[in-house]
Amino acid sequence: MKNKKITRKITQRMYVLTTNGGGCIVDAVSQISSGDAPLISVAVMNQNYTNALLKNNERFALSILGMEVNPEIIKTFGLCSMRDINKFESVVMKEIEGIPVIEDCLGYMVLEKVDSIVNETHTLFIGKLIEADVFLEGEAMSYGYYQEHKEELLKIKTENGNTAWVCTVCGYVYYKEELPEDFQCPICGVTKELFQGNV
Ligand code: FE
């Protein structure tokens, strides 16, 4: 392959995907049919906890994040796991068609799952649009912008000098003094060797 970087030119934006029991940040979202109830696809990492939840849920929602979004929302849904915190209690949510969506965003889409396709790293979930609304006019944050500004957006504060361990692959943060021997990142699955301590 001559230069795989060209794939970064594919337009991807920042979304919070939610379903019953959890949610995460996703960027690979596409509308793949037209009409009144179009089909929308979203790719979710196989290692992700939300992926497991989606297998047992018929509905999910996508909340579209704007350029002015509170970075705490990205931190909560992107770098934490439901295994450690209740994300729905850390961020202001609104229930639509039985699914919690983010209140501080440009708008949402609620989808009924119709299909899923598994590949080596991700599962592509396909949903039919059943409800949608616009909360705010504004530009959606691109995945490229997030990648470029990640450090300033996600500065990690550890209160009272606590130790935190950061996954150098996906950015997941584990807030404990010690990292257990057999620790595996709940987001991307790597082992403790790829964690950096004392941020
Ligand atoms: Fe990770």
Side-chain angles (χ1 to χ4, degrees):
M1 208 174 305
K2 292 198 177 65
N3 195 340
K4 188 170 148 274
K5 272 191 190 155
I6 194 68
T7 59
R8 293 189 189 166
K9 301 289 177 197
I10 298 171
T11 309
Q12 301 204 159
R13 295 190 184 264
M14 295 285 283
Y15 309 84
V16 175
L17 182 154
T18 44
T19 190
N20 286 309
C24 63
I25 298 277
V26 292
D27 58 276
V29 171
S30 289
Q31 180 172 336
I32 57 170
S33 79
S34 53
D36 288 339
L39 296 175
I40 290 168
S41 72
V42 52
V44 184
M45 257 191 256
N46 290 332
Q47 302 276 11
N48 204 309
Y49 181 67
T50 307
N51 188 299
L53 293 174
L54 281 169
K55 293 199 173 97
N56 303 311
N57 269 288
E58 292 313 307
R59 279 184 186 177
F60 59 94
L62 292 163
S63 300
I64 295 86
L65 305 183
M67 292 299 288
E68 309 299 325
V69 68
N70 180 348
E72 289 300 318
I73 294 177
I74 303 180
K75 266 195 221 175
T76 303
F77 281 91
L79 305 183
C80 302
S81 174
M82 258 331 221
R83 292 173 178 123
D84 302 326
I85 64 151
N86 185 339
K87 299 182 183 185
F88 296 158
E89 278 171 10
S90 318
V91 170
V92 185
M93 309 295 295
K94 197 180 177 119
E95 197 172 299
I96 311 282
E97 301 287 330
I99 303 295
V101 304
I102 306 283
E103 205 172 80
D104 172 24
C105 72
L106 300 183
Y108 66 83
M109 302 178 268
V110 179
L111 302 131
E112 194 86 54
K113 192 177 73 182
V114 296
D115 208 352
S116 61
I117 300 160
V118 185
N119 67 35
E120 232 169 84
T121 56
H122 288 68
T123 304
L124 189 68
F125 291 96
I126 298 170
K128 185 191 274 272
L129 189 67
I130 56 165
E131 180 57 292
D133 201 5
V134 177
F135 291 151
L136 276 177
E137 290 300 338
E139 203 193 326
M141 185 182 287
S142 74
Y143 183 65
Y145 176 88
Y146 166 71
Q147 284 297 341
E148 272 162 40
H149 298 84
K150 202 152 72 165
E151 265 171 49
E152 58 208 76
L153 284 166
L154 302 177
K155 270 186 196 132
I156 294 149
K157 293 172 223 121
T158 49
E159 289 154 38
N160 316 320
N162 287 341
T163 307
W165 300 84
V166 181
C167 175
T168 55
V169 175
C170 75
Y172 168 78
V173 187
Y174 180 76
Y175 292 97
K176 291 269 166 64
E177 277 306 304
E178 292 294 327
L179 209 54
E181 253 328 293
D182 56 350
F183 193 76
Q184 255 195 316
C185 177
I187 306 283
C188 73
V190 299
T191 52
K192 68 178 284 191
E193 288 68 41
L194 287 164
F195 274 75
Q196 215 166 55
N198 294 311
V199 275

